[in-house]
Amino acid sequence: MGKFFGQLVVTGVMLASLTACQTMDTKRIKNVKETESTKKNALIFCAGPAHCEFERLDQLMIIDAEHHKVQRAAIKAGIVRLNGQSLSEPNPVYLSVPSGQHEVVIRFYPISTGKSERLHVIHNFKSKQEYSFKMFRDRSKQQGSLLDKSAPDPLCVDLKQGEKTIRRFCRPYNVLTGLGEFVEKKL
């Protein structure tokens, strides 16, 4: 009984410390000051599945893949913004980045948080514009054999500038290998 109580106390302390860290990061992100130069930044959101995360912007790590925590360097750089009340909400952060060409790496979790789909995009982001990466399944009618029709619908990600889709990336399911990679499609 004493051993069980001790394990319960240790588990409680660990959970409390994790919540405290998350609360501290939430406060740090909320305290990022908006300046005249950051008001001209492009805003980048992710949406669609139950959960998505920004892995990195150029060489700056944003959210750790293993622990799903916002990196302090990203908070210090002032590019991370809160998209809700706390980091425990779905898709809790968005980015505020200077205009120009940037590489963005996004992890989408279309089914569960155990399996991610990673998308790398290099794009020229414009000042004072809102961009969103939205993942969806392309439910178009498939032609071909029964084997082709039984494969899962391709995963697609639209890059939208405002309400207009400007780029589309799809990852078709390869029946033979079960793998595929995101390829840009013409719109």
Side-chain angles (χ1 to χ4, degrees), residues 13-182:
V13 169
M14 287 176 51
L15 287 173
S17 67
L18 287 173
T19 303
C21 288
Q22 196 173 36
T23 303
M24 295 280 288
D25 288 343
T26 300
K27 287 181 183 177
R28 285 187 182 113
I29 294 170
K30 284 183 177 180
N31 289 333
V32 172
K33 302 289 185 220
E34 198 69 36
T35 65
E36 286 302 315
S37 63
T38 59
K39 288 180 182 177
K40 297 177 184 175
N41 283 358
L43 303 179
I44 307 171
F45 298 84
C46 68
H51 192 65
C52 59
E53 298 173 336
F54 293 100
E55 183 172 313
R56 70 180 166 84
L57 175 75
D58 298 326
Q59 298 302 314
L60 181 64
M61 294 302 294
I62 299 170
I63 297 179
D64 177 67
E66 188 176 335
H67 303 303
H68 306 284
K69 289 187 62 172
V70 178
Q71 300 296 297
R72 289 189 184 202
I75 297 172
K76 282 184 181 179
I79 63 169
V80 179
R81 301 289 191 272
L82 200 57
N83 197 20
Q85 296 301 315
S86 75
L87 291 172
S88 61
E89 296 177 12
N91 307 330
V93 299
Y94 66 96
L95 304 181
S96 174
V97 301
S99 62
Q101 185 169 303
H102 297 284
E103 178 186 18
V104 180
V105 180
I106 306 166
R107 282 187 312 270
F108 290 95
Y109 299 89
I111 298 170
S112 73
T113 55
K115 175 77 171 100
S116 69
E117 302 291 341
R118 189 172 279 131
L119 174 67
H120 297 252
V121 175
I122 297 174
H123 187 75
N124 189 17
F125 295 98
K126 296 180 182 171
S127 179
K128 297 183 180 182
Q129 296 290 318
E130 284 192 11
Y131 296 88
S132 62
F133 289 91
K134 184 174 182 180
M135 178 175 266
F136 62 96
R137 287 234 180 245
D138 187 7
R139 305 257 186 231
S140 60
K141 302 285 186 207
Q142 294 181 350
Q143 301 293 328
S145 70
L146 183 59
L147 184 60
D148 289 338
K149 289 181 183 180
S150 67
D153 294 321
L155 281 173
C156 293
V157 177
D158 280 353
L159 172 56
K160 296 183 171 214
Q161 183 176 351
E163 294 298 316
K164 182 182 178 193
T165 300
I166 56 175
R167 296 174 78 181
R168 178 170 289 161
F169 305 89
C170 288
R171 182 178 182 197
Y173 185 82
N174 184 325
V175 177
L176 299 175
T177 63
L179 301 173
E181 51 183 76
F182 283 102

